[in-house]
């Protein structure tokens, strides 16, 4: 059985040193804001959405402050932060991987994205220090941010949405439930789309939420993530994908298997 809650297209690349953390309130924070880990290249700069959201895909609720926190573990002070408006296609391409879970395209083509702003910031160095950087993020949408400091560069996708999605394993099914962060009510309508992100990327299944905000899909073992889409809202639910560029991945969900037990009998009654 597996259970996972995510605010939106939650973050998708976690640092292997971190582990997903589940929060108490569905409508307040994302219990697993850290979606995937990424060790594509070592860096001294780390991007966070908040205490629970760090990595290469940062999930934020529409009720969260539009900002990121940047931690610098090297001797960096001056940094340049560039923000682009992005979309789901660029995000999915960024997450597409080979058989060893290594990214195919770890650096998106920014020429295909819409430049929003570039700003200079002064980073606070230190293991326990971070620099809070407000960004012109709308309540809903996908953005791509690049932080450059000295010779170090770090990037991340930021996803903001009004909707959080929970997934649970049923009897050879995925069960999804969606909730609005502002009203704290179930969300009816909208699509749940299952993806395998192993190159070439494949859409495995698509269905709609019912009036209770629930959708059931077949349990495809190759499912990496699920996307919820409804108008401008998009939420990413990490299913079996947890880490990228680490050379391994552990499946959270798998089809039920029949457990066999064998007994040996004899025609001779027991005796003393």
């Amino acid at each position: 059985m597996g259970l996972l809650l995510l605010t939106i297209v939650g973050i998708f690349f976690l640092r292997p040193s971190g582990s997903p953390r589940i929060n108490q309130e569905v409508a307040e924070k994302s219990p697993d804001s850290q979606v995937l880990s990424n060790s594509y290249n070592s860096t001294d700069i780390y991007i966070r959405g908040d205490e629970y959201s760090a990595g290469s895909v940062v999930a934020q609720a529409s009720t969260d402050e539009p900002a990121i926190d940047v931690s610098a573990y090297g001797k960096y002070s001056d940094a340049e932060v560039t923000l682009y408006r992005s979309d789901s296609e660029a995000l999915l391409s960024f997450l597409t991987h080979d058989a060893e879970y290594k990214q195919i395209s770890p650096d998106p083509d920014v020429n295909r994205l819409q430049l929003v702003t570039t700003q200079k910031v002064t980073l606070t160095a230190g293991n326990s220090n971070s620099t809070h950087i407000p960004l012109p993020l709308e309540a809903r949408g996908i953005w791509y941010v690049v932080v450059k400091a000295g010779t170090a560069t770090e990037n991340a996708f930021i996803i903001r949405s009004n909707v959080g999605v929970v997934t649970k394993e049923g009897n050879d099914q995925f069960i999804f439930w969606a909730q609005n962060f502002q009203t704290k009510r179930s969300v009816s309508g909208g699509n749940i789309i299952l993806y395998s992100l192993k190159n070439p990327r494949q859409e495995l299944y698509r269905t709609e939420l019912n009036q209770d905000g629930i959708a059931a899909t077949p349990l495809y073992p190759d499912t990496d993530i699920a996307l919820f889409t409804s108008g401008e809202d998009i939420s990413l639910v990490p299913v079996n994908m947890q880490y990228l560029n680490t050379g391994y991945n552990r499946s959270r969900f798998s089809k039920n298997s029949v457990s066999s037990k064998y007994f040996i009998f004899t025609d001779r009654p027991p005796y003393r």
Side-chain angles (χ1 to χ4, degrees):
M1 299 290 290
L3 175 64
L4 179 65
L5 167 63
L6 192 68
T7 48
I8 44 189
V9 176
I11 100 178
F12 235 36
F13 282 87
L14 300 183
R15 300 289 162 188
S17 58
S19 59
R21 303 175 61 177
I22 299 200
N23 210 347
Q24 305 281 334
E25 286 273 343
V26 172
E28 293 296 331
K29 294 287 182 182
S30 163
D32 193 347
S33 297
Q34 304 187 93
V35 178
L36 291 183
S37 267
N38 180 17
S39 63
Y40 181 76
N41 46 22
S42 60
T43 179
D44 292 329
I45 300 176
Y46 297 92
I47 299 173
R48 290 184 171 275
D50 56 28
E51 179 182 0
Y52 298 104
S53 178
S56 293
V57 178
V58 175
Q60 294 183 342
S62 58
T63 53
D64 290 339
E65 180 188 1
I68 59 172
D69 291 303
V70 176
S71 299
Y73 294 90
K75 296 180 179 179
Y76 303 116
S77 56
D78 297 331
E80 180 182 85
V81 179
T82 305
L83 181 68
Y84 301 88
R85 186 75 189 231
S86 189
D87 54 32
S88 59
E89 178 60 31
L91 174 67
L92 291 174
S93 296
F94 181 70
L95 298 177
T96 300
H97 59 83
D98 62 16
E100 301 299 323
Y101 287 91
K102 294 181 180 179
Q103 286 173 274
I104 301 299
S105 302
D107 298 309
D109 183 0
V110 296
N111 293 320
R112 298 184 178 182
L113 306 180
Q114 178 183 349
L115 177 64
V116 176
T117 185
T118 297
Q119 56 182 292
K120 302 291 185 180
V121 298
T122 299
L123 300 180
T124 303
N127 293 343
S128 60
N129 297 321
S130 62
T131 304
H132 191 66
I133 305 174
L135 294 173
L137 303 171
E138 299 171 19
R140 299 178 295 181
I142 301 176
W143 289 265
Y144 176 67
V145 63
V146 181
V147 179
K148 295 182 179 179
T151 59
T153 300
E154 183 69 331
N155 58 0
F157 275 85
I158 303 171
I159 305 164
R160 291 174 59 85
S161 176
N162 284 332
V163 179
V165 180
V166 177
T167 182
K168 186 174 182 179
E169 182 178 343
N171 185 18
D172 286 339
Q173 289 182 314
F174 292 126
I175 308 297
F176 295 90
W177 171 64
Q179 182 185 38
N180 186 288
F181 286 114
Q182 296 181 341
T183 66
K184 297 180 173 59
R185 294 181 178 274
S186 297
V187 176
S188 60
N191 294 311
I192 294 291
I193 311 168
L194 307 184
Y195 286 98
S196 168
L197 297 179
K198 180 181 177 181
N199 193 43
R201 183 175 76 237
Q202 182 181 2
E203 179 180 319
L204 301 175
Y205 194 82
R206 178 187 293 251
T207 190
E208 292 186 4
L209 294 171
N210 63 20
Q211 61 182 6
D212 297 317
I214 296 174
T217 73
L219 196 158
Y220 291 96
D222 294 335
T223 303
D224 284 315
I225 66 167
L227 286 186
F228 163 81
T229 61
S230 178
E232 296 182 9
D233 274 308
I234 182 169
S235 301
L236 183 155
V237 184
V239 181
N240 283 322
M241 176 182 274
Q242 300 176 70
Y243 303 100
L244 287 177
N245 306 311
T246 58
Y248 69 93
N249 197 64
R250 178 178 65 84
S251 295
R252 293 174 173 176
F253 301 93
S254 60
K255 287 195 172 185
N256 296 332
S257 60
V258 177
S259 178
S260 300
K261 295 183 179 180
Y262 299 92
F263 300 89
I264 299 177
F265 297 90
T266 177
D267 59 353
R268 295 182 182 182
Y271 63 89
R272 303 178 72 176

